[in-house]
Amino acid sequence: MMRARILHTMLRVGDMERSVEFYTKVLGMHVLRTLDQAVDHYSLTFLGYGEETDTAVLELTYNHGVSVYEMGSAYGHIAIGVDDCQAACTEVLAKGGDVVMLPQRLKGSDETIAFVRDPDGYHIELVEHADGEWLGERV
């Protein structure tokens, strides 16, 4: 089989500045790079918790002049590993974010999950794994 890895997930957003503020200030991501394609009427911002060479990142796409998208029924959520789901939700709320499902233990699992919603309505699942597995560490 060929060598491969996931590079990024793309979301269309209605207001790039608002979305970048949410992902950086509320969820703690870093802007990795931007690309403005004025002739083709779109702009991109790539964000993440690490470098693109090391981990999958999030690509936000703003199509100039489009401020609202219809949430399709095929979209599920983005999942982000956290070390403490309750603390993460408390921090999201303190920074003005929207927690739509408070932390709860997943039955039959050692995971605790919660859901937050970004300004465009996309759901983001916060996942706390008891042994730190999602963060690349084992405790």
Side-chain angles (χ1 to χ4, degrees):
M1 176 173 250
M2 67 177 177
R3 283 185 46 184
R5 72 178 184 92
I6 295 174
L7 298 177
H8 63 260
T9 296
M10 184 273 274
L11 297 176
R12 290 180 178 89
V13 299
D15 180 323
M16 184 65 84
E17 186 177 319
R18 176 190 69 189
S19 294
V20 168
E21 183 173 325
F22 172 80
Y23 284 98
T24 58
K25 292 193 168 46
V26 176
L27 293 184
M29 291 184 182
H30 303 281
V31 173
L32 303 173
R33 64 185 169 103
T34 61
L35 178 64
D36 187 33
Q37 295 291 344
V39 173
D40 294 319
H41 310 289
Y42 71 90
S43 300
L44 308 176
T45 299
F46 291 82
L47 304 107
Y49 294 108
E51 296 301 319
E52 288 181 84
T53 54
D54 301 327
T55 186
V57 300
L58 181 64
E59 172 192 333
L60 301 180
T61 298
Y62 171 65
N63 292 303
H64 300 177
V66 181
S67 61
V68 177
Y69 289 93
E70 189 173 310
M71 201 62 58
S73 61
Y75 175 79
H77 60 269
I78 297 168
I80 296 174
V82 297
D83 57 355
D84 183 329
C85 211
Q86 184 63 51
C89 286
T90 300
E91 189 173 330
V92 165
L93 289 168
K95 293 178 178 180
D98 184 17
V99 175
V100 294
M101 187 184 95
L102 293 171
Q104 56 186 272
R105 189 69 169 220
L106 213 53
K107 289 182 182 173
S109 171
D110 59 354
E111 297 172 8
T112 298
I113 64 169
F115 279 89
V116 301
R117 183 175 26 229
D118 86 351
D120 289 283
Y122 294 110
H123 284 161
I124 298 122
E125 179 182 21
L126 304 178
V127 182
E128 174 189 337
H129 200 273
D131 66 4
E133 179 179 318
W134 303 134
L135 301 175
E137 46 194 56
R138 294 215 178 254
V139 289

